[in-house]
Amino acid sequence: MNSIKSICCIGAGYVGGPTMAVIAQKNPHIQVTVVDINEARIAAWNESDLTKLPVYEPGLPEVVAEARGRNLFFSSDVNKAIDEAEMIFISVNTPTKNYGIGKGQAADLKFVELCARQIAAVAKQDKIVVEKSTLPVRTAESIKRIFDATNGDVKFQILSNPEFLAEGTAINDLHNADRILIGGEIETPEGNAAIEALVQVYESWIPRERIITTRLWSSELSKLTANAFLAQRISSINAISALCERTGADVDEVAHAIGKDSRIGPKFLKSSVGFGGSCFQKDILNLVYLCNHFGLPEVADYWEQVIKMNDYQKHRFAMSIINALFDTVSGKKITFLGWAFKKDTNDTRESAAIYIADELIQDQAEVHVYDPQVSPEQIKNDLIYLWTQRGVSADEAQKRFEQAVTIYSEPTEALKQAHAVAILTEWDEFKSYDWASIYASMLKPAFVFDGRNILDKEQLEAIGFKVKAIGKG
Ligand code: UDX
Ligand code: ADP
């Protein structure tokens, strides 16, 4: 196989956008076109003001500035891009199904299927199709069936190339990936040629020894497994945080002590208000569904416990606020610092903040929110979506939101006259606030609930705050 000269990526989201920007940056000889049916999103990717890109990600504007217009293009003409590309990445969303068979667990593959049908309908020459979206094991088989049934004249090779970048550090993760995983038909010469073509794309900047090639199913399952293991570590340390609070141990000290064991390692042991993000919960639910589907209920239950522990951690945090505020937050101003699911991203999918706000609002709290990157519309959409999914009418949800939630573009007003502050996201700026003047502006007793353990508890207590931090007795 000659080296690839043109790539198309379907899906200009948090994965497709940054990944293709880096592939284009590192391969000036390859024309990379990122397409999306969402025209507003494509327009935002084409913004000349790079602070307005649809994805907030440190380092991304610089990469886009370097490659866009040279060999990186964003377009809503999906068919043209498919037709012109030798290699097509599918990087569309695969949310948890919210209807029918597998509701609440299985991945919804309708967007992936639509892409496959569109590729099959448009392609006139042989294509390598790369699954970038996280998919259930053996999805490539279904995609192949669609290709074979729709377009017998063109030969398709399917590869699985899961993305392991984490939001907030995406550019660094892409530039310095621990490993690149490529699954394909290693049994056939055509399969190996396709794998080699993708290896060459990554070899422009990733050392060959970090590029792993496997069978298709192993690659698909590795992505689910990696996310399940990472989420499991967080649920494990969060489980211990509950015990720390009862016993007077300090979860950060415990995490530090166990992390020094080289077999355990120090990463992903930060106890928190609960993990969020578009991947962990969705992928574990999908794993649970697959295990049940393949007749392994004990394995399914084992992994499901990771989600239950995460739900428990969010609930525990909401309850600790209500309990500390004399068992009711009715009519009280609770200020949320942070809404994103982690720092350095504007992504809020599955953010713990959404669920904690909901629990407090059920107890009639007034929730006041400041986040440095998340837009007011997003916060509103998150809550309204949650409520309407639970059967609340759109009008009622809107009314509830207007009554209960206020959003700010800066923190001072958000904190004034508040009964309590809750840290939901670990944004660095929260650490450098003038906490003494915040204390002066709040109602007394003034509470801080540090859901990320980023503030100095003793210093805050010296100012006069009542402080509750995760896993601190
Ligand atoms: C994750 C995986 O890390 C990444 O490899 C995969 O490609 C996609 O899913 P992401 O969800 O973007 O990435 O962010 P991640 O850094 O993994 O954080 C997920 C959640 O876990 C966040 O809410 C974060 O705050 C939380 N977290 C993370 C903790 O609570 N404690 C930790 O120690 C680490
Ligand atoms: P991720 O975090 O996986 O990147 P996003 O939701 O941020 O997920 O991005 C997925 C993108 O895929 C969305 O912008 C959506 O509009 C796009 N998309 C979904 N289906 C199609 C399709 N059939 N053709 C083109 N774009 C699509």
Side-chain angles (χ1 to χ4, degrees):
M1 163 86 52
N2 293 325
S3 43
I4 294 291
K5 292 184 197 59
S6 53
I7 287 178
C8 152
C9 173
I10 308 182
Y14 283 89
V15 174
T19 308
M20 290 304 127
V22 168
I23 286 184
Q25 179 197 27
K26 300 294 185 183
N27 290 282
H29 56 287
I30 302 181
Q31 161 134 344
V32 179
T33 308
V34 190
V35 292
D36 204 297
I37 37 175
N38 182 338
E39 293 194 5
R41 209 165 209 187
I42 290 298
W45 279 110
N46 282 321
E47 260 285 341
S48 51
D49 178 354
L50 291 168
T51 62
K52 294 196 176 135
L53 295 179
V55 170
Y56 173 78
E57 194 62 68
L60 177 64
E62 290 79 0
V63 177
V64 171
E66 186 181 333
R68 199 176 59 187
R70 178 188 71 185
N71 64 323
L72 173 66
F73 303 92
F74 295 91
S75 159
S76 49
D77 192 343
V78 182
N79 283 350
K80 179 164 180 278
I82 290 175
D83 182 34
E84 289 173 356
E86 296 160 277
M87 181 179 271
I88 302 166
F89 286 78
I90 301 183
S91 188
V92 299
N93 30 338
T94 49
T96 303
K97 251 185 117 177
N98 59 5
Y99 56 90
I101 296 172
K103 178 178 174 179
Q105 281 194 335
D108 190 342
L109 298 181
K110 72 174 173 224
F111 302 113
V112 172
E113 186 186 331
L114 280 172
C115 287
R117 289 189 185 283
Q118 191 164 4
I119 294 169
V122 170
K124 298 197 266 304
Q125 280 122 26
D126 297 354
K127 307 276 183 203
I128 298 172
V129 176
V130 186
E131 301 171 345
K132 196 53 148 166
S133 310
T134 304
L135 296 166
V137 55
R138 294 195 86 99
T139 304
E141 196 172 43
S142 318
I143 295 183
K144 191 157 177 39
R145 235 179 287 132
I146 294 176
F147 289 151
D148 291 346
T150 321
N151 191 338
D153 304 335
V154 171
K155 290 203 184 63
F156 294 96
Q157 272 298 322
I158 303 175
L159 301 178
S160 156
N161 172 221
E163 188 46 68
F164 295 103
L165 67 80
E167 287 172 34
T169 53
I171 299 302
N172 186 49
D173 295 346
L174 287 161
H175 282 162
N176 306 299
D178 287 341
R179 76 329 203 162
I180 297 294
L181 177 58
I182 302 174
E185 279 182 18
I186 55 175
E187 308 80 10
T188 65
E190 298 81 10
N192 271 310
I195 292 172
E196 193 45 38
L198 186 53
V199 167
Q200 277 183 23
V201 172
Y202 283 108
E203 257 188 327
S204 299
W205 80 100
I206 302 285
R208 184 67 180 83
E209 62 275 14
R210 281 200 235 153
I211 305 178
I212 305 170
T213 56
T214 65
R215 292 181 175 78
L216 264 172
W217 317 146
S218 308
S219 171
E220 288 178 334
L221 187 55
S222 297
K223 170 68 192 219
L224 291 182
T225 308
N227 276 346
F229 270 58
L230 290 169
Q232 180 197 43
R233 275 174 78 95
I234 304 171
S235 275
S236 296
I237 198 69
N238 282 344
I240 298 300
S241 78
L243 188 56
C244 286
E245 287 168 30
R246 291 284 163 88
T247 56
D250 179 319
V251 75
D252 285 337
E253 288 177 355
V254 174
H256 180 71
I258 65 166
K260 286 287 177 196
D261 185 326
S262 59
R263 293 166 304 175
I264 297 175
K267 294 181 180 164
F268 267 70
L269 287 180
K270 185 73 185 161
S271 187
S272 69
V273 66
F275 60 74
S278 68
C279 289
F280 284 169
Q281 171 158 320
K282 176 188 73 156
D283 289 353
I284 292 177
L285 287 172
N286 186 358
L287 192 60
V288 167
Y289 180 76
L290 287 170
C291 293
N292 278 323
H293 174 80
F294 286 106
L296 301 168
E298 289 81 1
V299 185
D301 290 350
Y302 173 75
W303 286 110
E304 193 165 18
Q305 198 58 32
V306 173
I307 306 266
K308 288 187 178 155
M309 185 52 61
N310 197 49
D311 288 340
Y312 173 64
Q313 189 74 352
K314 292 183 270 191
H315 173 64
R316 239 164 47 76
F317 189 73
M319 286 312 295
S320 78
I321 298 180
I322 298 174
N323 292 340
L325 290 172
F326 316 105
D327 289 330
T328 175
V329 285
S330 179
K332 292 182 181 163
K333 175 171 176 177
I334 316 291
T335 300
F336 278 29
L337 291 182
W339 190 265
F341 81 96
K342 62 186 281 196
K343 75 170 179 178
D344 291 340
T345 177
N346 59 345
D347 194 348
T348 64
R349 287 177 287 181
E350 292 301 329
S351 181
I354 304 169
Y355 298 93
I356 291 160
D358 172 57
E359 273 204 52
L360 297 180
I361 291 167
Q362 284 183 40
D363 203 66
Q364 302 183 348
E366 289 176 14
V367 174
H368 296 244
V369 187
Y370 166 70
D371 185 289
Q373 286 298 335
V374 178
S375 69
E377 299 75 47
Q378 187 59 52
I379 296 171
K380 186 173 174 181
N381 288 345
D382 289 338
L383 282 170
I384 289 191
Y385 180 77
L386 177 75
W387 294 329
T388 49
Q389 282 291 306
R390 290 188 185 154
V392 177
S393 73
D395 281 354
E396 179 56 34
Q398 175 80 19
K399 211 159 77 200
R400 193 183 291 183
F401 180 83
E402 277 160 18
Q403 269 167 6
V405 185
T406 314
I407 301 165
Y408 299 79
S409 57
E410 59 81 48
T412 318
E413 281 303 312
L415 290 157
K416 210 176 266 175
Q417 298 288 306
H419 291 77
V421 189
I423 310 283
L424 274 306
T425 312
E426 72 281 24
W427 287 103
D428 289 333
E429 66 173 65
F430 301 156
K431 291 188 247 179
S432 59
Y433 284 2
D434 178 352
W435 284 95
S437 20
I438 292 173
Y439 179 75
S441 77
M442 285 174 61
L443 296 181
K444 310 295 173 326
F447 290 87
V448 171
F449 299 90
D450 187 353
R452 297 290 185 162
N453 287 348
I454 53 167
L455 301 177
D456 186 328
K457 186 168 184 266
E458 273 145 37
Q459 231 170 44
L460 290 179
E461 282 170 345
I463 294 173
F465 281 108
K466 306 260 176 252
V467 184
K468 281 198 156 283
I470 303 274
K472 314 256 172 184

